């Protein structure tokens, strides 16, 4: 299945659709002072997006190296795959809430998020639901969600190739129902930098699992679009 949200690229560079990354950022009912234990700071999201982009680049480098070796061995299927990989494109869909009815249209995406997405030449598409709260502000209409309603957002998180989120029940449910891969912003937290690294590769086991999941995603997308 594909996302209900439109692909602004009109499909992947190889003729198929792009690799879809949905990152959920809970806002609206949470702030630094209200339900703060459920609030994920912008810099934590930035770190997660940047870490994901770096892991994507590393995974692509490993796949190119493997492709080259297989091509030299005369593997035709590998040769075909190698021609598709460089054309892989990415779309990062932001699923979040804003505090007013006006904000969804002008919701400011932090520069760090945009910069992280650009590492893999990705664009960020906003899907922002208005959060009216207990006392609805003037012009804020409950249920006026556009393409960011709860069920539509849940469906798109389930169908995403990669889902990125904090530890929250809503994206957690999507992850349980999804065939894609789910990562947490905390996976790239500073504390994880102390994970024991493999003496041969210099890469931690946790990062190798993420890279393996990304390779699986890139391979599946390339094969599916062939």
């Amino acid at each position: 299945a594909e996302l209900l949200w439109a692909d602004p690229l009109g499909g992947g560079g190889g003729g198929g659709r792009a690799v879809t990354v949905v990152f959920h950022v809970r806002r609206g009912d949470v702030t630094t002072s209200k339900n703060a234990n459920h609030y994920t700071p912008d810099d934590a999201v930035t770190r997660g997006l940047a870490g994901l982009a770096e892991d994507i680049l590393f995974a692509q480098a490993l796949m190119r190296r493997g492709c080259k070796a297989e091509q030299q061995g005369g593997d035709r299927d590998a040769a075909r795959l190698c021609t598709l990989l460089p054309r892989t494109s990415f779309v990062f869909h932001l699923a979040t809430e804003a505090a007013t009815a006006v904000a969804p249209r002008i919701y400011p995406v932090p520069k760090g998020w945009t910069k992280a997405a650009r590492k893999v030449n990705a664009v960020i598409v906003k899907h922002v639901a208005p959060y009216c709260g207990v006392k609805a502000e003037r012009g804020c209409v409950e249920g006026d969600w556009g393409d960011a309603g709860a069920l539509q957002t849940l469906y798109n998180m389930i169908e995403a190739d990669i889902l990125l989120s904090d530890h929250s029940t809503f994206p957690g449910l999507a992850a349980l129902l999804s065939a894609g891969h789910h990562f947490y912003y905390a996976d790239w937290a500073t504390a994880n930098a102390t994970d024991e690294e493999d003496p041969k590769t210099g890469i931690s086991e946790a990062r190798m699992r993420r890279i393996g999941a990304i390779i699986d995603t890139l391979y599946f997308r390339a094969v599916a679009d062939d």
Side-chain angles (χ1 to χ4, degrees):
E2 295 185 5
L3 270 65
L4 296 176
W5 290 332
D7 178 354
L9 302 179
R17 71 172 177 81
V19 172
T20 54
V21 176
V22 174
F23 65 108
H24 180 266
V25 182
R26 185 174 175 179
R27 291 292 185 264
D29 66 329
V30 298
T31 66
T32 54
S33 58
K34 181 178 66 174
N35 296 324
N37 57 314
H38 293 296
Y39 182 84
T40 301
D42 286 354
D43 62 344
V45 178
T46 299
R47 185 167 56 242
L49 291 173
L52 175 62
E54 291 293 339
D55 285 349
I56 288 174
L57 292 174
F58 193 92
Q60 288 177 319
L62 287 179
M63 294 181 79
R64 283 194 297 270
R65 188 182 307 170
C67 276
K68 186 175 181 180
E70 293 295 337
Q71 280 180 313
Q72 291 175 346
D75 190 322
R76 292 185 177 181
D77 290 336
R80 174 60 179 157
L81 178 61
C82 290
T83 63
L84 293 171
L85 287 176
R87 307 181 207 172
T88 304
S89 56
F90 298 85
V91 177
F92 285 30
H93 292 274
L94 165 62
T96 189
E97 306 87 33
T100 70
V102 177
R105 296 194 295 273
I106 59 173
Y107 186 87
V109 176
K111 292 181 179 179
W113 302 2
T114 302
K115 182 179 179 180
R118 285 177 179 169
K119 289 185 177 182
V120 290
N121 297 317
V123 295
I124 292 180
V125 184
K126 300 182 293 184
H127 308 279
V128 187
Y131 177 75
C132 296
V134 178
K135 295 183 179 179
E137 296 186 27
R138 181 178 300 176
C140 190
V141 180
E142 285 289 356
D144 184 17
W145 310 120
D147 70 349
L151 290 180
Q152 189 168 356
T153 298
L154 178 64
Y155 177 88
N156 285 294
M157 288 194 294
I158 291 171
E159 295 300 330
D161 295 312
I162 297 173
L163 172 60
L164 188 60
S165 74
D166 55 11
H167 290 270
S168 181
T169 303
F170 188 42
L173 173 61
L176 287 175
L177 300 173
S178 176
H181 295 287
H182 181 210
F183 304 122
Y184 296 105
Y185 299 119
D187 289 343
W188 290 275
T190 304
N192 286 341
T194 62
D195 288 348
E196 186 175 349
E197 296 182 346
D198 184 286
K200 293 183 179 180
T201 64
I203 301 173
S204 69
E205 181 179 343
R207 189 183 185 201
M208 281 305 302
R209 286 197 298 268
R210 292 197 303 268
I211 291 171
I214 292 168
I215 288 176
D216 176 70
T217 297
L218 296 177
Y219 179 81
F220 175 78
R221 178 51 42 216
V223 171
D225 291 339
D226 188 5

